[in-house]
Structures are given as structure tokens and as C-alpha cells.
């Protein structure tokens, strides 16, 4: 009866989930926003999606027919430059969208685009929530100062959500009372353990071909080793991005000889991962690592960077994977992929890790916030 009353009350709310763009974007943030929208609908909320796309935009991932997607680009490119006058016009039009759709709560996915939402919703008495997608460690690796307009705008949010408890301490103390820890919605666990294809000798990687994902140290070491001797593994990377042409040129020999396969954007992630022996995850920074989580669901052992060693909920050294330095990532991966007994043991532990992650389902946490 209590859940029924909650659902009834939730119908009075209209929740907008906002991100920069869905147009042909195959990243974790896009998958996560669609999944969150679906789950909030199940909980009785009336939800819609807002993005800074234009009307001709098409989502790479399937968008459920009952999800309303409003494109608020108004002629400006989502990631492109705009003059102050153009940006003000966009914000005014966005405000009209908010009023017209009687939006009561806005969840903005990361603080970079929050200033636009803040200005557009000014004096409308909305519940403004910023759902962070990255650890603040990202500011160690990018040129932008931490105290930029987006970060400073967090002071005006009613609630900030971070994905893991350990991220709270990275924020100023006077912001921490606004912070709620809300993990991502993730898929249901697979019903029973199935051993991955260890005979494939495939090292899989999944993510945007970008600076953040840091694939190059592994590929450079693979390239250098291949000049000296035969290598008994292959690497498959699913993802697209600004470094695609760079990788095709830089690692052309690996590609031509069948040691490296750049698969581009894919929809069937489970099938891609099932045909792997292990998963390599060398990112510079992450928030809630969706690609890693999907690998755990399949039961893949993981080789992860020491930079991410605080993600112990996902990977523990010598339990379900290896936590390594960049300069040894290829050697450690090659040794592991040829040790089937250790792969099997780590694989089962990865499967258990996923089940533990799933048990911390965020329905009630979102309901409390909204």
C-alpha cells in the first residue's frame, strides 16, 4: 500500500533528465540516462529527456517509444562554440521548454552544463539536482581549472549526487551536506555463471577513443613487443572517438597483422565481452565505470590502472583482476591471459562482484531525493 501511495504522489512530478547530446553518442552516460529514465518511470515518475541536440539528431542507442525526448539545441551544435548572444537566446528558449512542460525537477548529468540549466530555471522554484558523472580527479588531467563556472554553479544546486562514497571527500566541506551517494542503475545479473571464452586469447577494451580512456600505453607496449617477438593474444576495442584516425595510422601494422581490431561503436556489448578472455581498463579517471561494470557482469577478469585502485568495489588486486602501473600493463596482461587457472578463479570473483554491486540498487535513493 505504501508503494502504491508513493507512485500516486509521484505522478504530480515531472522530472527532466538533461545531458549534452544523444546524437550518435555510444557512451556510458547516454546508456545510463536512458536506463535511469526507464527506472524512474517504473517508480511512478513522469519523466522526459532534454538534450542540446537539434531536431535531426538520432540516438545511437534504442530510445523507448514512451520516452519523450526534447531537443534544445535551437540551431547551435551541442559541443560547438556559441557567442554570448546565441547562448542567451538558447537559455531563454530552454526556459520556455521548462515552463511549457511544467517541469518540477531537473536532473543535470554533470556540472559542465549546469550553468545553462541554472540560468534557464532561475526563479521557477524547481528542484535542481546535479548528478555528477566523473570523479573530481579529472581536473588533475585536464587544463580547465577546478573552480570554473560549472563547478562554482554547484553552490546553487539543491542536491548533488555522486556515484561512490569515496568521491564525497573531494568536494569542499560546505558542499558535502548537499551530496547524496547514488550508484548507477545497472542490468540484472546473469542467472548463472558461464565461463568466458578463455581460449579466444582476446583482450577487450570498451570506451571512447579519447585521452581519458588512455589506451595508448597498452597499445604502445604491444607494438614495441611485437617488433621483437611473436605475441599470442589479440586486442579488440569497441568505441569511436577523436583518436580513431590516430590509432589507425599509429598501429597500422598491428591492425594489418590481426593483433588489433578497432570495432567502432557497437550495440551488443554482452556479445562483444563474452568472446573475450579478459578486460583491460587503463583510464586516467572515471566516475562510475559503466564499461568495467558490464565486463564484471559477464565474469571477466580485469586489468586496471593503479590510478583507479580506490575502485575496490569493482576490482581488487589478485582477487578478480590485477591493479598495475601503466609501464607494466601489457606484460601483466599477457602473463594473466596465458594462466587459465588464475583466469577462471578471477572470473568467478568478478561475477560475485557484480552481484554485490547490483544489490545496492538506487531506486529508493532517487525516490528520497525527488
Amino acid at each position: 500500500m505504501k508503494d502504491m501511495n508513493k507512485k500516486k504522489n509521484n505522478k504530480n512530478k515531472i522530472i527532466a533528465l538533461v545531458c549534452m547530446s544523444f546524437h550518435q553518442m555510444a557512451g556510458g552516460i547516454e546508456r545510463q540516462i536512458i536506463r535511469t529514465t526507464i527506472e524512474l518511470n517504473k517508480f511512478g515518475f513522469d519523466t522526459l529527456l532534454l538534450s542540446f541536440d537539434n531536431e535531426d539528431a538520432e540516438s545511437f542507442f534504442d530510445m523507448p517509444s514512451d520516452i519523450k525526448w526534447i531537443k534544445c539545441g535551437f540551431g547551435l551544435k551541442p559541443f560547438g562554440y556559441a557567442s554570448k548572444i546565441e547562448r542567451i537566446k538558447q537559455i531563454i528558449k530552454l526556459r520556455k521548454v521548462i515552463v511549457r512542460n511544467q517541469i518540477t525537477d531537473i536532473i543535470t548529468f554533470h556540472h559542465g552544463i549546469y550553468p545553462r540549466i541554472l540560468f534557464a530555471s532561475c526563479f521557477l522554484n524547481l528542484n535542481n539536482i546535479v548528478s555528477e558523472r566523473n570523479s573530481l580527479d579529472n581536473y588533475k588531467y585536464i587544463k580547465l581549472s577546478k573552480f570554473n563556472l560549472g563547478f562554482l554553479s554547484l553552490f546553487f544546486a539543491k542536491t548533488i549526487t555522486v556515484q561512490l562514497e569515496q568521491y564525497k571527500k573531494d568536494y569542499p566541506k560546505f558542499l558535502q551536506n548537499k551530496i547524496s551517494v547514488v550508484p548507477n542503475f545497472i542490468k540484472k545479473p546473469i542467472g548463472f555463471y558461464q565461463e568466458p571464452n578463455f581460449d579466444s586469447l582476446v583482450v577487450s577494451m570498451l570506451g571512447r577513443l579519447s585521452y581519458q580512456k588512455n589506451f595508448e600505453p597498452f597499445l604502445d607496449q604491444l607494438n614495441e613487443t611485437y617488433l621483437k617477438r611473436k605475441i599470442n593474444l589479440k586486442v579488440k576495442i569497441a568505441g569511436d572517438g577523436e583518436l580513431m584516425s590516430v590509432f589507425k595510422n599509429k598501429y597500422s601494422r598491428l591492425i594489418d597483422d590481426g593483433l588489433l581490431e578497432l570495432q567502432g561503436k557497437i550495440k551488443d556489448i554482452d556479445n562483444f565481452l563474452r568472446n573475450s578472455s579478459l578486460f583491460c581498463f587503463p583510464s586516467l579517471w572515471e566516475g562510475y565505470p559503466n564499461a568495467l561494470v558490464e565486463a564484471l557482469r559477464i565474469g571477466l577478469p580485469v586489468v586496471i590502472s593503479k590510478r583507479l585502485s580506490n575502485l575496490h568495489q569493482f576490482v581488487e588486486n589478485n582477487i578478480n583482476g590485477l591493479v598495475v602501473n601503466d609501464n607494466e600493463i601489457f606484460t601483466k596482461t599477457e602473463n594473466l591471459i596465458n594462466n587459465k587457472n588464475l583466469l577462471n578463479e578471477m572470473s568467478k570473483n568478478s561475477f560475485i562482484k557484480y552481484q554485490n554491486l547490483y544489490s545496492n540498487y538506487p531506486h529508493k535513493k532517487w525516490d528520497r531525493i525527488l
Side-chain angles (χ1 to χ4, degrees):
M1 177 66 81
K2 190 180 288 186
D3 286 345
M4 289 290 288
N5 289 334
K6 272 188 180 180
K7 287 189 177 185
K8 199 171 181 180
N9 293 334
N10 290 347
K11 288 296 184 183
N12 298 324
K13 285 180 166 282
I14 298 176
I15 317 296
L17 292 86
V18 186
C19 78
M20 182 65 83
S21 174
F22 285 104
H23 179 57
Q24 294 304 316
M25 300 294 286
I29 186 171
E30 292 78 29
R31 290 202 305 278
Q32 186 55 214
I33 292 178
I34 292 172
R35 191 174 294 155
T36 303
T37 305
I38 292 169
E39 294 300 324
L40 291 181
N41 277 345
K42 290 179 184 176
F43 220 54
F45 290 109
D46 189 353
T47 59
L48 54 88
L49 297 179
L50 299 181
S51 73
F52 291 98
D53 290 302
N54 291 304
E55 287 304 317
D56 60 348
E58 296 180 353
S59 172
F60 177 77
F61 295 111
D62 294 334
M63 190 80 74
S65 57
D66 60 342
I67 290 181
K68 185 177 182 181
W69 175 21
I70 301 176
K71 303 165 188 177
C72 302
F74 305 116
L76 301 180
K77 292 182 179 179
F79 297 99
Y81 169 81
S83 68
K84 289 181 180 178
I85 296 296
E86 289 174 320
R87 192 65 74 200
I88 289 170
K89 287 180 179 177
Q90 185 186 57
I91 289 170
I92 291 170
K93 290 177 179 178
L94 176 58
R95 183 181 181 87
K96 291 178 180 177
V97 168
I98 293 170
V99 173
R100 188 184 312 126
N101 288 276
Q102 300 180 309
I103 292 168
T104 60
D105 301 71
I106 297 183
I107 306 171
T108 304
F109 277 65
H110 75 79
H111 67 258
I113 59 174
Y114 181 55
R116 281 182 244 181
I117 303 303
L118 183 61
F119 288 130
S121 61
C122 193
F123 304 118
L124 291 181
N125 195 30
L126 300 183
N127 184 17
N128 258 318
I129 301 158
V130 179
S131 182
E132 287 290 28
R133 299 291 96 191
N134 279 321
S135 156
L136 291 186
D137 277 352
N138 68 331
Y139 284 108
K140 296 177 184 177
Y141 302 101
I142 61 178
K143 293 179 181 178
L144 186 65
S145 166
K146 177 178 176 180
F147 293 99
N148 58 77
L149 181 61
F151 185 79
L152 294 174
S153 69
L154 290 173
F155 291 89
F156 299 97
K158 182 176 180 182
T159 304
I160 302 163
T161 71
V162 297
Q163 298 150 305
L164 300 173
E165 183 68 38
Q166 56 261 43
Y167 293 161
K168 284 180 69 173
K169 63 180 173 52
D170 296 333
Y171 289 80
K173 286 190 177 179
F174 42 87
L175 276 182
Q176 290 180 16
N177 64 341
K178 291 176 178 276
I179 296 176
S180 294
V181 178
V182 185
N184 281 1
F185 285 104
I186 59 178
K187 297 178 187 174
K188 287 184 178 180
I190 296 169
F192 56 92
Y193 173 76
Q194 293 176 283
E195 186 178 281
N197 186 5
F198 295 140
D199 292 329
S200 71
L201 295 175
V202 168
V203 178
S204 61
M205 299 182 181
L206 176 62
R208 185 170 176 79
L209 303 189
S210 65
Y211 166 70
Q212 177 197 351
K213 299 305 178 182
N214 195 43
F215 295 139
E216 286 185 89
F218 183 96
L219 296 177
D220 286 346
Q221 291 166 45
L222 169 61
N223 208 17
E224 184 180 342
T225 306
Y226 187 49
L227 292 174
K228 301 174 184 176
R229 61 175 172 80
K230 183 180 177 182
I231 291 174
N232 191 31
L233 60 76
K234 61 185 88 169
V235 180
K236 294 186 179 182
I237 303 178
D240 200 352
E242 58 268 24
L243 294 181
M244 176 64 86
S245 59
V246 174
F247 283 11
K248 284 182 176 178
N249 290 326
K250 187 175 182 181
Y251 306 115
S252 58
R253 185 182 176 192
L254 295 176
I255 294 170
D256 292 343
D257 290 355
L259 270 75
L260 173 61
E261 189 176 315
L262 302 176
Q263 295 198 352
K265 299 173 185 175
I266 62 169
K267 288 191 176 180
D268 193 344
I269 295 169
D270 285 355
N271 187 57
F272 170 75
L273 293 170
R274 275 196 192 97
N275 291 308
S276 309
S277 295
L278 62 83
F279 188 72
C280 185
F281 197 69
S283 293
L284 295 175
W285 74 87
E286 286 292 333
Y288 192 96
N290 290 295
L292 173 57
V293 168
E294 303 211 40
L296 297 180
R297 182 172 178 266
I298 300 300
L300 285 179
V302 179
V303 177
I304 193 173
S305 164
K306 276 190 177 175
R307 281 180 303 275
L308 305 177
S309 59
N310 65 329
L311 299 180
H312 47 82
Q313 301 100 315
F314 306 90
V315 181
E316 290 182 84
N317 191 43
N318 292 321
I319 301 297
N320 68 315
L322 300 177
V323 181
V324 303
N325 291 315
D326 273 4
N327 61 6
E328 59 181 357
I329 192 165
F330 173 73
T331 303
K332 295 284 189 180
T333 300
E334 186 180 33
N335 290 340
L336 178 57
I337 206 169
N338 287 296
N339 187 337
K340 285 192 178 178
N341 289 334
L342 188 54
L343 283 175
N344 184 269
E345 180 183 337
M346 288 181 169
S347 169
K348 290 174 181 175
N349 288 332
S350 282
F351 190 76
I352 293 169
K353 282 277 189 187
Y354 187 87
Q355 292 174 318
N356 292 335
L357 289 170
Y358 186 79
S359 67
N360 191 21
Y361 215 59
H363 270 118
K364 292 181 180 178
K365 294 178 181 180
W366 273 120
D367 186 60
R368 195 179 305 120
I369 290 168
L370 293 169

